[in-house]
Amino acid sequence: MHPLALLFKKNRDWAEAIRRRDPDFFPTLSRQQAPEYLWIGCSDSRVPANEICGLLPGEIFVHRNVANIVVHSDLNCLSVMQYAVDVLRVKHIIIVGHYGCGGVRAALEKPKLGLIENWLRHVEDVASRYAEHLTCYRDDSARVDRLCELNVITQVIHTAETTIVRNAWERGQDLAIHGWVYSLKDGLVRHLGLTLTSGHDLDDALKRNWEESAAELYQS
């Protein structure tokens, strides 16, 4: 038996269930892709975008990497974002972290992991920037979860600072960027209180201590 036979069977079962529910689903899906959302999330296998949002294939465009990072040197992420914004004309970019993220924890604890340590330096930079704030959390798990939130908020800002988003706003395109965190414990997402819809919003966010105000909004 092929070692991945179970996956092929599950695929056939899934496709058949979809066809029974909607015979036109796959023919329609193959002709178009018109999602309104771009999800930039963590690669963690427990955080699947479609299932969490209750959406079908074709309804959400997805990019995932370890610890849901957006940096201006990552051409993979930027290419996905550019296609989503300029071609698909998505209306929402959602940066989604998750509590208990292993990448975020590694950025705090700094175990020897090899190549990925270089990637996690981006999260370490966030931790260093808010080191004093993070000392307020004596429990390790709470500190990791707080850094998960801070990392999401930082990546929302990074996303808004890209030429892709700034150019879209300058030409009047309807585009909003949101920061969410997902909980593996209850399956729910939390909005962190930061949504940017224009260059003016970005300027305001850069002037304010969004990290602190988001904490107050989430904990209230």
Side-chain angles (χ1 to χ4, degrees):
M1 177 181 290
H2 192 282
L4 300 181
L6 179 61
L7 297 186
F8 284 107
K9 180 182 183 304
K10 285 183 175 293
N11 168 251
R12 290 191 297 270
D13 292 344
W14 170 78
E16 180 57 31
I18 293 289
R19 282 192 292 268
R20 284 198 301 268
R21 186 167 65 241
D22 182 0
D24 294 327
F25 178 82
F26 288 113
T28 301
L29 185 66
S30 67
R31 290 192 297 268
Q32 65 182 6
Q33 177 177 217
E36 292 191 8
Y37 317 98
L38 167 60
W39 169 294
I40 299 179
C42 183
S43 298
D44 192 301
S45 61
R46 300 167 295 175
V47 191
N50 285 71
E51 287 84 349
I52 287 172
C53 294
L55 297 176
L56 291 171
E59 294 183 319
I60 189 166
F61 203 57
V62 177
H63 173 78
R64 297 169 70 176
N65 62 58
V66 175
N68 43 273
I69 294 169
V70 178
V71 289
H72 306 301
S73 58
D74 182 0
L75 296 183
N76 186 350
C77 181
L78 294 181
S79 296
V80 171
M81 192 187 307
Q82 186 271 328
Y83 185 79
V85 172
D86 293 350
V87 179
L88 297 178
R89 310 285 288 190
V90 298
K91 295 181 178 179
H92 303 274
I93 299 175
I94 312 168
I95 313 299
V96 189
H98 66 97
Y99 292 122
C101 178
V104 171
R105 181 178 294 278
L108 278 175
E109 299 177 353
K110 301 180 182 177
K112 294 296 183 182
L113 297 173
L115 180 64
I116 196 173
E117 293 173 47
N118 299 280
W119 178 253
L120 294 178
R121 283 295 304 273
H122 298 298
V123 185
E124 289 182 33
D125 290 343
V126 180
S128 295
R129 181 178 180 184
Y130 301 106
E132 183 176 354
H133 173 73
L134 290 169
T135 60
C136 298
Y137 298 82
R138 296 183 179 181
D139 179 75
D140 288 344
S141 293
R143 191 178 304 110
V144 169
D145 286 349
R146 184 65 184 120
L147 183 54
C148 290
E149 295 174 343
L150 293 169
N151 183 51
V152 166
I153 292 170
T154 299
Q155 307 315 321
V156 168
I157 299 295
H158 287 175
T159 301
E161 290 176 326
T162 63
T163 56
I164 298 160
V165 171
R166 287 191 284 116
N167 289 342
W169 283 338
E170 287 174 5
R171 63 178 176 258
Q173 187 169 335
D174 183 13
L175 180 64
I177 308 168
H178 314 269
W180 290 4
V181 176
Y182 173 71
S183 174
L184 295 166
K185 295 179 179 178
D186 60 17
L188 299 178
V189 292
R190 276 82 170 169
H191 196 297
L192 291 177
L194 179 57
T195 291
L196 305 179
T197 61
S198 67
H200 178 72
D201 284 352
L202 173 60
D203 291 341
D204 283 349
L206 292 172
K207 291 175 184 176
R208 297 173 60 187
N209 189 343
W210 257 107
E211 294 77 14
E212 296 301 327
S213 61
E216 294 171 2
L217 194 138
Y218 173 69
Q219 293 170 2
S220 62

